[in-house]
Amino acid sequence: MGRFDGKVAVVTGAGRMRGIGRAAALTFAREGAHVTVAGTGRDPQTFPQDEQEAGWKDVDSVAQEIRDLGVDALSLVADVTKADHIQNMVDRTVERFGRIDFLVNNASAPRMAAWAEFEDLTEEAWRYVMDVKVTGAFLCTQAVTKVMMRQGWGGSIVNVISVEAKISRPTDLAYATASGALYTFTTKAGRALAPHGIRVNGVSPGTTDTARNDALYGFPRRPEWAARVESIPIGRAGTPEEIGEFIAWLCSKEAEFIVGQCIEIDGGQAT
């Protein structure tokens, strides 16, 4: 028996082989939940080398891994900045599984999407990062909470933020600002939705060994990675699995008195 037997989770940004979204989706599945995994529909030619060598198929591969665990999965391509895409994701999830209990807002803009000196940061890049990380979380949360309210038994939502909101580098302004906005959204939405039995919380990972960091540190990792890891007080990077497991725990009965919190999982980086 799993903690989430018969329940349903929706995880966005879940298509990467080395990613927090995949790790969270698999953790929910191991605990008995059916899972909708959503991604952007990346061009396979842009996949990192390890994904290409593995014959990786983005969210379809994650969905198959979930089915191999004995529960059902639905894989979807969805742009979280578009309300109609989100509504389609929610509608198809309810049509397939009959309910939604958990949402993980993990979708985020590429790490280098707005990486620039302040004076060179374009409005287009700024808006793109804000739209994906902040507007996307809002649209997904609003669409899912409407279902949860109709169901009447509550639910749990986890936003994946970033400690960059607190330790920002000067070239990471847009991403860090979006992360700060998501902190605020989490606390405010947590307060607004708690009376409906819907808990909203956030996890704020520090440097985690995911494909998202390939743009900064290469894969295999360049020497700069070692320097970054040495700056972490605990002396190592995080893993997608430990972040994914904590996300699932936040959705469990054991965490049901935690509301509107943004919890840093960062090895002491933001301390």
Side-chain angles (χ1 to χ4, degrees):
M1 295 289 290
R3 285 184 293 183
F4 304 137
D5 284 352
K7 295 188 176 182
V8 176
V10 176
V11 184
T12 67
R16 293 181 180 271
M17 191 166 73
R18 289 177 286 118
I20 291 171
R22 175 200 178 203
L26 290 174
T27 302
F28 280 111
R30 291 188 191 101
E31 292 288 350
H34 307 302
V35 188
T36 290
V37 287
T40 57
R42 293 177 296 150
D43 181 349
Q45 293 185 352
T46 68
F47 288 7
Q49 184 177 348
D50 58 334
E51 289 189 354
Q52 294 188 32
E53 291 174 351
W56 194 249
K57 297 179 181 178
D58 204 68
V59 290
D60 289 339
S61 288
V62 180
Q64 187 56 55
E65 289 182 308
I66 291 168
R67 295 185 194 106
D68 290 343
L69 292 170
V71 291
D72 200 4
L74 174 64
S75 59
L76 296 173
V77 172
D79 182 344
V80 298
T81 70
K82 299 183 184 303
D84 58 333
H85 283 221
I86 300 312
Q87 193 59 54
N88 178 67
M89 178 183 73
V90 169
D91 291 344
R92 290 189 61 184
T93 298
V94 173
E95 180 182 1
R96 177 73 163 261
F97 303 120
R99 60 191 288 163
I100 299 177
D101 300 277
F102 314 120
L103 167 66
V104 180
N105 284 314
N106 180 62
S108 186
R111 199 72 181 85
M112 303 297 287
W115 191 272
E117 298 293 340
F118 183 87
E119 63 272 22
D120 298 323
L121 180 59
T122 66
E123 179 183 352
E124 180 183 21
W126 171 273
R127 289 185 182 277
Y128 174 62
V129 171
M130 291 293 175
D131 280 351
V132 175
K133 198 164 183 69
V134 184
T135 303
F138 163 70
L139 291 174
C140 289
T141 298
Q142 188 177 63
V144 167
T145 54
K146 289 177 180 179
V147 173
M148 291 177 173
M149 288 178 182
R150 289 198 300 268
Q151 291 171 165
W153 56 72
S156 184
I157 296 166
V158 180
N159 298 318
V160 180
I161 311 173
S162 173
V163 295
E164 290 294 333
K166 294 188 175 182
I167 60 171
S168 176
R169 290 166 280 200
T171 48
D172 210 9
L173 178 67
Y175 186 83
T177 304
S179 297
L182 200 49
Y183 265 91
T184 302
F185 173 75
T186 299
T187 58
K188 293 295 186 178
R191 181 64 180 266
L193 295 174
H196 301 280
I198 300 169
R199 296 187 301 109
V200 182
N201 290 291
V203 296
S204 195
T207 299
T208 306
D209 197 0
T210 67
R212 186 167 293 278
N213 273 311
D214 292 359
L216 283 171
Y217 303 106
F219 188 79
R221 300 298 190 214
R222 294 190 295 266
E224 302 96 288
W225 176 253
R228 179 68 169 173
V229 170
E230 286 175 5
S231 73
I232 303 170
I234 204 169
R236 68 170 178 86
T239 68
E241 290 74 21
E242 60 193 337
I243 308 299
E245 288 169 6
F246 190 75
I247 288 169
W249 180 81
L250 271 178
C251 294
S252 70
K253 182 175 177 59
E254 291 84 352
E256 65 181 7
F257 204 55
I258 301 175
V259 174
Q261 301 302 304
C262 300
I263 302 168
E264 285 143 15
I265 310 177
D266 65 353
Q269 276 180 288
T271 303

